[in-house]
Amino acid sequence: GSEESRVLKLSAIAKFAYISLNKSSIDFGSILIGKSCTKEFLIRNQAQVPTTFKIEKKTLSGPQDDGFSFDVTTDTIPPNSSYQVSVKYVPTTVNMLSCNHYTISAVGGNKVNLKCTGNSIGVDVALSAKTVNFGTIKIGTYTNRMIQLFNNSSVAVSYQVLMDSKHVFSIKQKTGVINPNSNVKLTIFFTPQATTYYYERCFLLVRNHKLLFFDTMGSASDILHKPPELTQSHINSFRYRVMMGTHFKLRSNTAAGSRNTTAKIEDTGPGRFAPGGEDKLSLTYTTESPYDEPNQIMMHKELFQENSNAHREIRIREDYLDFSFCDRGRVSDVVELTVENSLNLKINAHWFLSGNLAADAQVDPNLSKLRVNFSDPDFRSNFSIVPESAEIKPKSIFTFKVTFRPHERHLYFFQYLTCFFKVNFKGRTLEKEREGLEKSMNETRSSRGKLSKSYSMIGSRGFKTNKSNLDPDLIPPLAMKVPAVGHSFPPSEQSYVPFLKFSPPGKIKFPPCAVGESVYQTLQLTNDSDTPVYYRLVEDPGKNFRYFPYIGLIAPKSFALVAVEFAPKAAREFRYNVQVVLNHSHSNTRTVQLMGHCNDPSLYVANGSKMYFAPSSTNVIAKQSLMIQNTSKIPIDYVWEIPDKYKEDIFVEQPYGQLLSNEDLLTNWSFVPHKKKDYRFSVGIKIKQIQDPRQEMVGYSIPGSGAPERLQTREITAKDHAGKSKLYEVFIYGTGGDGAIKIEPSQIDFKTLTVGFSSIHVIEVFNHSPCALLIELKLLPQDISRTEDRARWNETIKIIKEAFKLDFTEGTIPANSKRKVKISFTPKSRFDFKLFLQCVAKESQAVHIREEGEAITEPREKSSIQVFAKGDYPLLQFIDLRNNHMSLADCWAKFNLNRVNEELLKPLTPTEYSYNNSQSMDKTKVARTQLSKFDWDFGKLHTKFSREPRKLTVTMKNVGG
């Protein structure tokens, strides 16, 4: 036969996966570029089954920040266990704030969010001095000075001094690397060729990324000529006047030979120059004046300013000269250099061309000045300019002719042709200049009429001004450079093969910025070969990216630093493949991709820009939250705009604030309907770009940029730009109604309760309405009027609050729901009042947000029930006394029970209170003597015949609490 069927029972329990994090955000703080930081967080599996998690990045439009990485992105967590995950932050772009959001999901379970933030900072480097003053030396000699460059960072730093080794001011070692927390010494040489004074601002570029500067100045003299000596005070004064647009308006009468002009500090008004007498001049600096203390942006703008820039008052049309090939000993074709003088004054131009002797000489440390032989062939330049000096008339142009003649074959030749321009003021009178100055500065007196501080003038870099040196005729010369390059490799012969390494390799990312802003990065070109390499970066046609220096010659086993600027003109992503042409050969062209993203402010509003509030009773608060996120890559300001009509109905805890790049914020809202109706309206959130004060275009490179009229124009422009904000609408949905409150049971009876004992009853409060209600429960006396007998009312309320405790007295009951409330009655003394429990719809919490002085309406009663409660002390009474040998009447009489009962029913006397509460034996003995005493007569018993004691049966009753 067949086998009997059997039953196999299978059972299983299914569990959902559930994970949580020990922290929802990780902030790495500020991390130095080139360093990294690692932090950990825990993923907890709170389920009873294994859970597989997965970490995914929330992506937004635009460039993605890859600075954060996880050691693991998916794995399995055992039941009721934790899993540690490490996240590493490696900043790749200087001065960039990184904020990424990640979703950590459990397969078949929930999701949690993680936010990672970090800020990359550049290196901390500084110069020991910002002035290198060589003083006055004899013509035909040269001298040197030393400054120190400090690296206060924990990483090595590459630097390059942007000076030529064949120049009036030169340096021997232009490039180098500073070890962490160390310093290097820079030796600057001064090699004058004419008896005059010289000045030039020199820049020092540091990788990752900083730009420094120092002012070099000096004079050369001979037996017949001793020019005046420049000081930092002259530099500060002139650069300030350039910013104010008054640099060529303040002149003394040189034709009359007046040399008594001094600078006088007076409290004459902000930022103006005023006459101080016949031969004195008043010079006022105030805290409102734009002192020449440039930030990184304006320093870069000055460095990047082309020779032909429209802001220049003296311009050179050519930005660089490329002679290409010329054979040894031969003279190249003539290349013209055109100088434009847009001033109303004559200028003197003097070109400086020299060799490399000063930078390569072995300097004896015991000698401060060495003699130079300008006839030495090594000192002569391979480039020549005709004429070397010229006087250029006002509002005119002048053309110089430049040729190239190499002295050796198979070499590259590169040099900066430097021209010093000086303004000629002959024929101008001080009175005319003062009149012109007074006219130009009238607006300063009226528009910036704040009190100025009167103090001894200190230069913007801490150099105290010597008043006797502030000669208004002594203006530092303007130095302009034109790079020139040529080589002597015949076309039939191959030039050097370049071996150049780029860092960063192949791609440069810029931190995001807004339209009109500028950000900077560094490109390092390393020449590992034994031959020099000439490079030229091809110009960006759109002018969104610029470079400096865009042309140069890199010595063997050395490197060059190039500052790259990103200044977008439109809000979009920019990618440009800049071509780096090496050694004049297009076959040796390398490409570097430049990536930048220009942003307009943008915002994401969660839930489709809608907020739904649960229906609530009028004047009852309803709460809701709304997430907003800055989806742009730039920081923004935001402000909520609520229509005046609804300002009493809706409130937000964060009405304004700032959001950093990719930052989100949970805003908390409160809605208080004041009418029974459906609410449908919208509120606005306006966002705009946060103006970076470092982007203010006030500096020496833009003459007159600090003048009052220019500042006002810029302020209006800034307001117009800020006015291009974006407005987002958020739609509000809510309902105001009336509730239906009911309390069950309809009455509560605690009966009589002994003082000090407790009893608990439970009631249920029902909200039968379709809206949430904010209620308050109160116990009140029935037979006492609050208005007629206020003192008794207050005393009764105090006793009620001491005797009754409710576990819920105030709060919100959702729509169509109920709330259980426990009422505890513990009488503290005799208590006998008629009470009722009242449930009222209380005025909303939004009342506290309103303006002071606004009337607050009384609560509206919704429901009530009666409460019976009585509290009393224990009260004993003798009700029976019996004995087999005595009648009942004799027992009551002999034991005085009537008098005892009367005494027990009387209230306690102070002595009795003291006796009951006394804890001292002495006080108890004293009180006992004052208590009432009663005799109990048991009769006579025969001792001989009585064998049993006489027994009495007493019956007592508690007739009290």
Side-chain angles (χ1 to χ4, degrees):
S2 61
E3 186 177 355
E4 295 182 0
S5 62
R6 299 182 182 181
V7 177
L8 179 63
K9 184 178 180 181
L10 300 176
S11 63
I13 300 177
K15 296 286 186 179
F16 285 105
Y18 185 82
I19 60 174
S20 62
L21 303 179
N22 67 327
K23 58 181 73 174
S24 60
S25 63
I26 301 176
D27 185 11
F28 289 87
S30 297
I31 303 298
L32 184 65
I33 197 77
K35 292 286 187 178
S36 63
C37 182
T38 301
K39 293 191 176 184
E40 295 80 22
F41 66 95
L42 293 178
I43 305 176
R44 297 192 180 100
N45 178 17
Q46 299 180 353
Q48 298 179 0
V49 294
T51 300
T52 300
F53 70 88
K54 186 177 182 181
I55 303 177
E56 296 178 307
K57 180 182 177 181
K58 295 181 181 180
T59 58
L60 298 173
S61 60
Q64 301 300 316
D65 189 354
D66 301 325
F68 302 99
S69 61
F70 297 86
D71 63 339
V72 60
T73 56
T74 181
D75 206 344
T76 301
I77 310 176
N80 298 315
S81 301
S82 298
Y83 194 101
Q84 180 173 292
V85 179
S86 297
V87 55
K88 187 177 183 180
Y89 175 49
V90 183
T92 57
T93 305
V94 183
N95 299 326
M96 181 172 177
L97 177 65
S98 300
C99 180
N100 285 355
H101 297 266
Y102 299 90
T103 299
I104 305 177
S105 57
V107 177
N110 65 320
K111 296 181 179 180
V112 291
N113 296 320
L114 177 69
K115 180 171 73 173
C116 297
T117 57
N119 183 32
S120 62
I121 57 176
V123 293
D124 180 14
V125 292
L127 287 166
S128 60
K130 293 185 178 180
T131 297
V132 181
N133 195 336
F134 293 93
T136 301
I137 67 173
K138 291 184 178 181
I139 192 67
T141 64
Y142 68 90
T143 185
N144 63 78
R145 296 286 187 272
M146 185 186 69
I147 59 175
Q148 289 180 291
L149 179 63
F150 293 91
N151 177 16
N152 301 316
S153 305
S154 57
V155 296
V157 175
S158 302
Y159 71 91
Q160 178 177 351
V161 183
L162 302 178
M163 296 178 67
D164 195 5
S165 58
K166 303 177 180 181
H167 184 37
V168 174
F169 302 106
S170 57
I171 186 171
K172 184 175 182 180
Q173 185 66 33
K174 294 192 297 184
T175 61
V177 177
I178 318 175
N179 292 326
N181 299 308
S182 183
N183 65 86
V184 295
K185 297 179 180 179
L186 307 177
T187 303
I188 314 298
F189 292 86
F190 176 47
T191 313
Q193 279 190 328
T195 54
T196 184
Y197 50 90
Y198 298 87
Y199 162 74
E200 184 179 359
R201 173 157 291 192
C202 301
F203 291 93
L204 188 148
L205 182 60
V206 180
R207 187 182 174 193
N208 290 329
H209 171 91
K210 196 168 186 179
L211 187 64
L212 305 175
F213 74 91
F214 56 92
D215 289 329
T216 55
M217 63 200 74
S219 302
S221 65
D222 56 17
I223 298 177
L224 299 178
H225 302 89
K226 186 176 181 179
E229 184 175 326
L230 277 175
T231 66
Q232 187 67 42
S233 303
H234 298 106
I235 309 303
N236 295 340
S237 175
F238 177 72
R239 290 178 67 91
Y240 169 76
R241 295 202 301 270
V242 171
M243 294 168 62
M244 295 298 295
T246 60
H247 44 302
F248 294 132
K249 296 180 181 180
L250 185 60
R251 299 296 101 219
S252 65
N253 191 351
T254 56
S258 175
R259 288 298 176 188
N260 294 324
T261 305
T262 60
K264 180 181 179 182
I265 308 301
E266 290 185 355
D267 194 8
T268 55
R272 56 173 274 101
F273 298 90
E278 182 178 355
D279 58 353
K280 289 187 177 181
L281 196 64
S282 178
L283 180 63
T284 302
Y285 287 84
T286 74
T287 54
E288 294 293 321
S289 302
Y291 283 108
D292 182 33
E293 186 66 45
N295 57 39
Q296 286 290 305
I297 303 298
M298 289 312 300
M299 286 170 59
H300 280 85
K301 293 298 182 183
E302 184 174 349
L303 175 69
F304 276 74
Q305 192 175 41
E306 301 92 346
N307 291 333
S308 57
N309 190 282
H311 289 299
R312 289 189 181 273
E313 296 167 315
I314 301 173
R315 293 182 288 274
I316 301 177
R317 293 180 180 177
E318 291 74 23
D319 290 322
Y320 77 98
L321 303 178
D322 189 350
F323 290 89
S324 191
F325 166 71
C326 184
D327 206 354
R328 181 184 64 182
R330 294 196 174 187
V331 179
S332 68
D333 294 335
V334 173
V335 176
E336 293 184 345
L337 271 178
T338 304
V339 177
E340 299 181 20
N341 177 18
S342 60
L343 297 172
N344 291 319
L345 304 169
K346 294 180 181 180
I347 59 173
N348 294 322
H350 176 74
W351 290 91
F352 180 89
L353 299 174
S354 66
N356 198 25
L357 179 62
D360 295 336
Q362 297 295 324
V363 180
D364 187 345
N366 297 320
L367 298 177
S368 60
K369 301 176 183 178
L370 297 180
R371 181 166 298 280
V372 178
N373 183 7
F374 292 106
S375 63
D376 191 322
D378 292 332
F379 196 85
R380 293 195 302 268
S381 172
N382 296 282
F383 301 92
S384 61
I385 298 179
V386 178
E388 289 189 357
S389 300
E391 184 180 74
I392 305 176
K393 296 180 180 180
K395 300 293 183 180
S396 64
I397 62 174
F398 191 91
T399 301
F400 296 89
K401 297 183 178 182
V402 186
T403 56
F404 168 53
R405 183 180 182 181
H407 63 276
E408 290 186 25
R409 298 193 68 180
H410 303 102
L411 284 179
Y412 265 96
F413 302 89
F414 181 86
Q415 185 178 349
Y416 281 96
L417 311 180
T418 305
C419 186
F420 289 95
F421 295 97
K422 294 183 180 179
V423 180
N424 188 342
F425 290 99
K426 290 183 179 180
R428 302 297 299 269
T429 64
L430 181 60
E431 288 73 20
K432 291 183 179 180
E433 290 299 332
R434 285 175 173 166
E435 292 175 2
L437 176 62
E438 186 70 20
K439 182 179 179 181
S440 66
M441 297 303 293
N442 278 338
E443 292 189 23
T444 305
R445 186 194 296 271
S446 58
S447 65
R448 299 169 70 92
K450 300 180 181 180
L451 290 177
S452 62
K453 297 180 181 180
S454 179
Y455 45 83
S456 61
M457 187 165 64
I458 303 295
S460 62
R461 287 159 198 87
F463 298 97
K464 192 169 183 179
T465 300
N466 183 359
K467 294 182 180 181
S468 63
N469 286 333
L470 279 178
D471 182 358
D473 288 330
L474 190 57
I475 286 185
L478 172 65
M480 296 182 67
K481 296 182 178 182
V482 179
V485 63
H487 67 87
S488 56
F489 290 93
S492 59
E493 298 181 17
Q494 185 178 4
S495 62
Y496 300 135
V497 178
F499 292 96
L500 212 59
K501 183 171 65 177
F502 290 67
S503 182
K507 184 184 296 184
I508 298 179
K509 289 184 178 180
F510 289 85
C513 64
V515 176
E517 294 185 344
S518 302
V519 289
Y520 299 89
Q521 292 294 310
T522 313
L523 173 65
Q524 180 168 325
L525 310 176
T526 304
N527 179 15
D528 293 328
S529 65
D530 297 325
T531 57
V533 176
Y534 162 75
Y535 72 90
R536 179 176 64 86
L537 281 74
V538 179
E539 181 183 15
D540 175 18
K543 302 289 186 180
N544 296 297
F545 297 98
R546 295 193 302 164
Y547 345 98
F548 189 91
Y550 55 88
I551 185 174
L553 189 68
I554 309 175
K557 303 297 182 181
S558 184
F559 64 86
L561 295 179
V562 179
V564 187
E565 178 189 65
F566 175 50
K569 301 174 179 60
R572 63 179 180 87
E573 185 178 1
F574 291 85
R575 293 176 182 264
Y576 177 68
N577 294 324
V578 56
Q579 293 183 336
V580 184
V581 181
L582 305 178
N583 292 347
H584 285 92
S585 175
H586 288 283
S587 61
N588 291 327
T589 299
R590 301 278 295 275
T591 300
V592 177
Q593 187 181 55
L594 305 180
M595 299 175 57
H597 199 278
C598 180
N599 286 254
D600 274 340
S602 62
L603 191 73
Y604 165 75
V605 183
N607 200 34
S609 298
K610 297 178 182 178
M611 270 195 300
Y612 295 91
F613 290 89
S616 62
S617 178
T618 55
N619 296 320
V620 175
I621 192 170
K623 292 183 176 294
Q624 189 59 274
S625 297
L626 182 67
M627 178 71 73
I628 59 175
Q629 183 179 3
N630 176 15
T631 55
S632 62
K633 300 297 182 179
I634 57 176
I636 62 173
D637 280 321
Y638 74 88
V639 59
W640 288 99
E641 296 183 345
I642 300 176
D644 294 338
K645 181 179 179 181
Y646 297 104
K647 284 186 176 180
E648 294 298 321
D649 298 316
I650 194 162
F651 309 92
V652 59
E653 290 184 4
Q654 306 93 348
Y656 57 88
Q658 295 181 350
L659 291 175
L660 301 178
S661 170
N662 206 21
E663 184 180 11
D664 56 10
L665 176 67
L666 187 66
T667 59
N668 298 316
W669 292 79
S670 300
F671 173 60
V672 186
H674 290 87
K675 296 181 180 179
K676 299 178 182 179
K677 69 172 188 176
D678 292 332
Y679 285 82
R680 304 289 186 272
F681 61 95
S682 65
V683 297
I685 178 171
K686 182 180 289 186
I687 64 170
K688 63 180 180 179
Q689 163 199 345
I690 296 179
Q691 298 292 325
D692 187 351
R694 297 174 301 177
Q695 301 285 345
E696 287 290 334
M697 302 299 290
V698 178
Y700 173 79
S701 59
I702 308 176
S705 57
E709 61 274 10
R710 294 283 293 273
L711 289 174
Q712 293 174 0
T713 304
R714 246 189 329 275
E715 184 177 350
I716 295 174
T717 305
K719 289 182 179 179
D720 291 342
H721 182 72
K724 297 177 182 178
S725 55
K726 291 185 178 180
L727 181 66
Y728 293 80
E729 277 191 311
V730 178
F731 296 92
I732 308 296
Y733 299 88
T735 300
D738 197 0
I741 289 291
K742 184 179 180 181
I743 305 177
E744 292 183 356
S746 59
Q747 67 178 20
I748 303 174
D749 189 0
F750 286 95
K751 298 184 179 181
T752 301
L753 197 63
T754 303
V755 173
F757 287 77
S758 298
S759 180
I760 296 177
H761 280 260
V762 178
I763 64 170
E764 290 182 333
V765 182
F766 292 86
N767 176 14
H768 297 293
S769 67
C771 58
L773 290 178
L774 178 66
I775 67 167
E776 183 178 13
L777 296 173
K778 294 181 179 180
L779 275 168
L780 302 173
Q782 288 186 6
D783 54 355
I784 302 176
S785 174
R786 181 177 182 179
T787 57
E788 295 178 1
D789 194 350
R790 193 171 188 85
R792 186 184 175 195
W793 171 275
N794 293 336
E795 182 66 24
T796 305
I797 292 296
K798 180 180 179 181
I799 296 174
I800 293 173
K801 288 183 178 180
E802 292 177 350
F804 289 91
K805 300 296 180 184
L806 285 74
D807 65 347
F808 175 85
T809 58
E810 181 180 0
T812 301
I813 300 182
N816 300 311
S817 61
K818 66 180 180 179
R819 175 67 185 259
K820 289 185 177 182
V821 181
K822 291 183 179 180
I823 305 177
S824 173
F825 174 52
T826 307
K828 306 297 182 182
S829 60
R830 283 193 173 95
F831 185 96
D832 189 8
F833 299 104
K834 294 181 180 180
L835 307 175
F836 67 96
L837 177 65
Q838 187 181 71
C839 179
V840 297
K842 187 186 176 187
E843 189 73 22
S844 73
Q845 298 167 356
V847 170
H848 304 293
I849 308 176
R850 296 182 182 179
E851 299 291 337
E852 295 184 2
E854 185 176 347
I856 300 177
T857 59
E858 289 291 325
R860 295 176 290 109
E861 181 180 342
K862 305 299 287 186
S863 181
S864 63
I865 62 172
Q866 286 187 332
V867 178
F868 298 97
K870 185 177 181 180
D872 203 351
Y873 291 104
L875 186 61
L876 297 178
Q877 188 176 20
F878 291 92
I879 61 174
D880 193 16
L881 179 63
R882 296 180 182 274
N883 183 264
N884 294 332
H885 304 282
M886 299 174 63
S887 64
L888 183 62
D890 290 341
C891 287
W892 278 79
K894 288 186 176 183
F895 285 90
N896 298 310
L897 292 186
N898 289 329
R899 290 180 56 200
V900 171
N901 284 338
E902 290 178 2
E903 186 69 22
L904 290 175
L905 291 176
K906 291 180 180 180
L908 295 177
T909 65
T911 301
E912 292 169 341
Y913 272 113
S914 175
Y915 180 81
N916 287 337
N917 299 324
S918 177
Q919 297 181 355
S920 173
M921 294 297 296
D922 295 336
K923 291 183 179 180
T924 302
K925 291 180 180 179
V926 174
R928 189 183 300 165
T929 60
Q930 301 175 4
L931 295 177
S932 299
K933 297 179 181 180
F934 301 94
D935 295 330
W936 281 17
D937 186 5
F938 285 87
K940 294 181 180 180
L941 295 177
H942 295 283
T943 58
K944 294 183 179 181
F945 301 102
S946 178
R947 296 181 178 177
E948 294 182 2
R950 182 170 294 179
K951 297 180 180 179
L952 290 97
T953 303
V954 179
T955 303
M956 302 180 69
K957 182 180 180 181
N958 180 8
V959 296

